Amino acid sequence: MLLSRKLPWAILLLWIAITVLAVPLAGKLPDAVKGGSVSELPRGADSTKVEGLTPRFPGGEVAPAIVAYVRDAGITPSDRAKAEADRRALAPIAVGPIPPVVLSDDRRALMVKVPLSGEDELSENAAKVRDQMEKDVPPGLEARLTGRAGAALDVGDAFESVDKVLLIVTILLVAGVLLMTYRSPVLWLMPLVNAAISLQVTGAVVYLLAEHAGLYVADGMASILNALVFGITTDYALLLLARYREELRRHEDRYEAMRVALRRAVAPVVASAATVSLGLLCLLAADMGFNYALGPVGAIGVVGGLVVVMSLLPAMLVLLGRWIFWPRVPRFGDVVSEGGGVWGRIGRGVGARPRLVWVGGCLVLGALAAGALGINTGLDREHFLTSTPSSAVGERLLKQHFPGGQSNPIQVVSDASASGRAAAAVRQVPGVARVESPQASVDGRLARTDVVLAAAPDSAEAERAVRDVRKALRDVPGALVGAGTASELDLAEAQAHDREVVIPLVLGVVFLTLIVLLRAIVAPVLVMATVVASYFAALGAGWLLFKHVFGFPALDTQVALMGFLFMVALGVDYNLFLVSRVREEVMRSDHRTGVLKGLAVTGGVISSAGLVLAATFGVLGVMPVTFMVQIGVLVALGVLLDTFLVRSIVVPALALDVGSRFWWPARLPEPARAQAEDRVAAHQA
């Protein structure tokens, strides 16, 4: 790549120009995010179709803002006057007439239902409802905003400025790890600069594709993308820096050293990028909207990090010279003991009794995995955010005084000519509390009816009622059931489908990539087995943390799949870096020497890379959304387990115990095999 002394300058100038163009485009990425419930709905489901039909109805997509007024001693005339005043004041922002104030049967609660546009201004209008609701509240009256608009406002408040805080915390943590790794006042900046540029370039590409090619970007995706790109770019930079440092001791000319370093690093780094990006693209087989959208966006981030590290970083390093490593500058001819240091000692300890070591490591993983027994999945609305959202409190108040599904009704859409038949059929279904008057579409061909269920929206009774409603409407022309509990039911079924389809695809892609890189079958099988074991160990340890430390009652339905995807694809990386280097060393000597030397020379850099990646995902733990916290903590745990137990202990022990069969069906090169046979003969003698 760096064949000419002028080429690094050309590459540097090119990346400066690209960065200048990318920064303003990346800043527009939040504008490309398409919020709303569509990102949470599965492709092709009834609830998604209902969502897609909303523009055909007056006011388009309607998101109710429901205000609950509660007084335990009973509603007073002043309470009713307050509710009526709010109803009149909110009329200008409503997309249709606001129904009359409703008094509960126990006469202790009032309800005002304000229909708002479900478009981009939903949070802004919901804030106006809250501001009006909080004015001149009579003493002793509790007023809460709930419904879809209230939930959107809670999420908007929680995410306010969080992305900037997240990025700052990530940079500080990664900088700390790099300073400890290099103990250099300058060198630690190289991975950070490349990661920052990767983020800008990736953000710009995603924005352009979203604006001009229809790429879907969902809420929350930017945070995951930042963690992925920042972590993986830094990892690749660390690997290349370590290889370059080695070659500087072997070559007097730093350009030649970089050429050799690139040649030897390109295979594992490209294989890593291929593994992660292809694993992410397996999400294109998903039904769940968020999962499907994350695939191409994440793959773009991985490829962006690869391109930056393999072009910009080499140019920067050769132009800056050896001094960038100060105070530990690698000099030509320096001799470094490759069998010494912490990882050399660990290797000798593993090599002494490899079978005992890998069996013990597997027992530890199994014990941690046992923590996942009895795991609960599926968060209720009250635990969607890490703190109890105000809308959840309002929903709880409504449940106490009105039918359980009042805050989030399901919607029945049918042909206009069959609306009466649909309403009559739904009224006969057990668990239906009320059927509202149908609303006709703008063209008069469809009708939409809100149906209030008796049970709470996230209850098993509500799900059973939705299934019964769908059965009752089976013969009604064009009948679709969506929104509310129907959406949640479709989401759960889509997540189950995605786990059954995507997980085997990811395993297959990663396995084939390892076979191609290592030109073996046994090694990929063993590596895959250890990575899957570390996933279940992290899942068990994570569940114990979530349950007993964080106080979460369950895992979000997306966590199992997302955690598996990131931990397997990213966890394989470190094993791939190790085993590819071991294979390189084995080709020069014999199997045992190659395994121990490969561990010794890669231990430091891979451990640093693992700490960086764990930090970037662990930062998601400060997010206000429970799903993000669980993903961040789970992946961070998995990466740490994989880095310091699986990759550093279990895999080398397995490789030593299996011997040269580790590379089956490949054969050791003649010199290496001859040396191995000589050692065996000498040992037997």
Side-chain angles (χ1 to χ4, degrees):
M1 184 178 292
L2 301 174
L3 300 178
S4 166
R5 300 298 170 108
K6 296 181 179 178
L7 184 58
W9 285 108
I11 292 174
L12 181 62
L13 292 174
L14 176 62
W15 275 111
I16 290 174
I18 291 174
T19 305
V20 169
L21 294 173
V23 168
L25 293 173
K28 296 180 181 179
L29 183 57
D31 299 336
V33 173
K34 297 178 181 178
S37 60
V38 173
S39 64
E40 294 298 322
L41 295 179
R43 299 179 301 141
D46 272 14
S47 50
T48 308
K49 294 175 183 177
V50 168
E51 193 80 18
L53 292 172
T54 54
R56 295 179 61 177
F57 290 88
E61 184 179 354
V62 176
I66 302 175
V67 184
Y69 306 87
V70 178
R71 185 186 293 274
D72 292 335
I75 294 297
T76 66
S78 61
D79 298 339
R80 185 180 288 275
K82 164 62 176 169
E84 291 288 354
D86 289 348
R87 177 174 174 269
R88 292 191 298 272
L90 294 171
I93 64 172
V95 295
I98 302 177
V101 177
V102 179
L103 177 66
S104 64
D105 291 340
D106 61 9
R107 309 187 68 82
R108 290 188 296 169
L110 297 169
M111 179 179 64
V112 174
K113 190 174 182 180
V114 184
L116 300 178
S117 171
E119 305 301 328
D120 295 337
E121 67 273 11
L122 175 59
S123 293
E124 181 182 345
N125 285 334
K128 293 178 181 178
V129 173
R130 183 177 60 186
D131 292 344
Q132 175 61 38
M133 173 193 79
E134 292 175 348
K135 290 180 182 177
D136 303 322
V137 180
L141 179 69
E142 183 174 6
R144 292 280 183 171
L145 174 63
T146 186
R148 182 173 160 190
L153 182 59
D154 285 338
V155 173
D157 289 344
F159 270 103
E160 189 174 3
S161 302
V162 74
D163 284 338
K164 293 180 180 178
V165 173
L166 200 67
L167 187 58
I168 292 171
V169 174
T170 300
I171 291 172
L172 291 176
L173 278 176
V174 173
V177 173
L178 294 176
L179 279 169
M180 288 189 297
T181 300
Y182 292 120
R183 299 170 191 172
S184 166
V186 182
L187 187 60
W188 64 277
L189 285 169
M190 297 296 100
L192 276 183
V193 168
N194 280 260
I197 292 174
S198 296
L199 281 176
Q200 297 303 311
V201 171
T202 299
V205 171
V206 171
Y207 170 75
L208 290 173
L209 291 176
E211 288 295 304
H212 304 291
L215 182 68
Y216 187 81
V217 183
D219 274 328
M221 202 166 286
S223 298
I224 294 178
L225 183 65
N226 285 347
L228 177 65
V229 174
F230 209 96
I232 210 161
T233 303
T234 307
D235 280 2
Y236 296 160
L238 287 170
L239 191 70
L240 181 59
L241 272 168
R243 209 63 204 250
Y244 179 49
R245 187 199 290 268
E246 285 185 49
E247 300 305 328
L248 283 173
R249 298 188 179 105
R250 300 190 180 105
H251 302 275
E252 188 171 7
D253 180 24
R254 65 179 186 272
Y255 288 85
E256 177 64 15
M258 180 57 75
R259 185 185 66 80
V260 176
L262 279 172
R263 189 183 71 225
R264 291 180 174 172
V266 69
V269 171
V270 170
S272 166
T275 301
V276 181
S277 57
L278 290 175
L280 286 164
L281 289 176
C282 289
L283 289 172
L284 291 175
D287 276 352
M288 179 67 182
F290 184 92
N291 297 344
Y292 177 84
L294 181 61
V297 171
I300 291 168
V302 173
V303 173
L306 172 70
V307 173
V308 171
V309 169
M310 300 306 285
S311 57
L312 176 60
L313 182 59
M316 294 173 67
L317 290 173
V318 295
L319 289 175
L320 289 169
R322 293 175 186 261
W323 73 268
I324 196 71
F325 290 91
W326 187 86
R328 296 186 294 176
V329 179
R331 305 293 183 187
F332 174 60
D334 283 352
V335 178
V336 178
S337 175
E338 294 177 329
V342 174
W343 293 102
R345 292 194 295 272
I346 290 174
R348 289 190 291 274
V350 170
R353 303 187 71 179
R355 183 167 300 176
L356 179 64
V357 169
W358 73 256
V359 170
C362 289
L363 288 175
V364 171
L365 294 174
L368 291 173
L373 297 176
I375 195 170
N376 297 323
T377 57
L379 286 169
D380 55 26
R381 296 174 184 275
E382 194 164 330
H383 294 89
F384 173 69
L385 299 178
T386 52
S387 58
T388 302
S390 179
S391 60
V393 177
E395 185 172 305
R396 193 188 311 148
L397 292 174
L398 284 180
K399 289 179 190 176
Q400 295 171 2
H401 303 285
F402 294 95
Q406 183 68 61
S407 64
N408 205 4
I410 63 173
Q411 294 178 346
V412 174
V413 175
S414 66
D415 292 347
S417 59
S419 62
R421 179 180 167 189
V426 173
R427 287 191 183 96
Q428 303 304 313
V429 175
V432 171
R434 187 171 68 254
V435 178
E436 307 284 0
S437 300
Q439 180 189 36
S441 61
V442 175
D443 58 10
R445 298 175 62 183
L446 299 174
R448 183 175 65 188
T449 305
D450 283 356
V451 177
V452 177
L453 302 179
D458 52 8
S459 65
E461 293 82 359
E463 290 184 0
R464 187 161 51 248
V466 168
R467 289 191 176 95
D468 291 341
V469 167
R470 284 176 168 168
K471 289 179 183 176
L473 295 173
R474 189 175 296 161
D475 298 326
V476 176
L480 298 168
V481 181
T485 304
S487 295
E488 299 294 335
L489 182 60
D490 289 344
L491 184 152
E493 292 176 351
Q495 289 288 8
H497 164 274
D498 291 355
R499 288 192 295 271
E500 295 171 1
V501 173
V502 175
I503 286 177
L505 280 176
V506 172
L507 288 173
V509 165
V510 173
F511 183 61
L512 290 175
T513 304
L514 286 172
I515 289 176
V516 171
L517 178 70
L518 301 177
R519 284 164 275 179
I521 293 178
V522 174
V525 168
L526 294 177
V527 168
M528 287 297 300
T530 59
V531 172
V532 172
S534 69
Y535 163 72
F536 284 106
L539 189 63
W543 170 240
L544 294 176
L545 277 176
F546 298 145
K547 184 178 180 179
H548 299 293
V549 178
F550 290 86
F552 299 148
L555 286 184
D556 187 272
T557 53
Q558 287 183 277
V559 169
L561 177 61
M562 289 289 106
F564 180 88
L565 174 68
F566 286 121
M567 286 169 57
V568 170
L570 296 173
V572 163
D573 273 6
Y574 302 130
N575 291 281
L576 193 153
F577 295 157
L578 168 68
V579 177
S580 62
R581 183 59 184 265
V582 166
R583 188 179 190 280
E584 182 182 325
E585 298 299 336
V586 167
M587 300 290 282
R588 298 193 186 114
S589 55
D590 63 86
H591 178 74
R592 179 181 175 84
T593 302
V595 171
L596 296 180
K597 186 175 179 181
L599 175 61
V601 298
T602 63
V605 63
I606 294 179
S607 299
S608 298
L611 286 173
V612 167
L613 191 61
T616 56
F617 272 92
V619 170
L620 292 177
V622 305
M623 294 286 284
V625 179
T626 304
F627 159 65
M628 293 291 185
V629 173
Q630 291 180 340
I631 283 290
V633 171
L634 187 62
V635 174
L637 280 174
V639 169
L640 291 175
L641 276 173
D642 206 72
T643 301
F644 294 103
L645 176 60
V646 173
R647 191 272 313 163
S648 60
I649 295 176
V650 175
V651 171
L654 278 169
L656 290 171
D657 194 23
V658 173
S660 59
R661 291 169 295 178
F662 191 72
W663 309 106
W664 186 88
R667 293 170 61 87
L668 291 173
E670 290 299 325
R673 189 166 65 253
Q675 291 177 26
E677 291 171 353
D678 290 343
R679 280 186 168 85
V680 171
H683 177 72
Q684 291 174 344

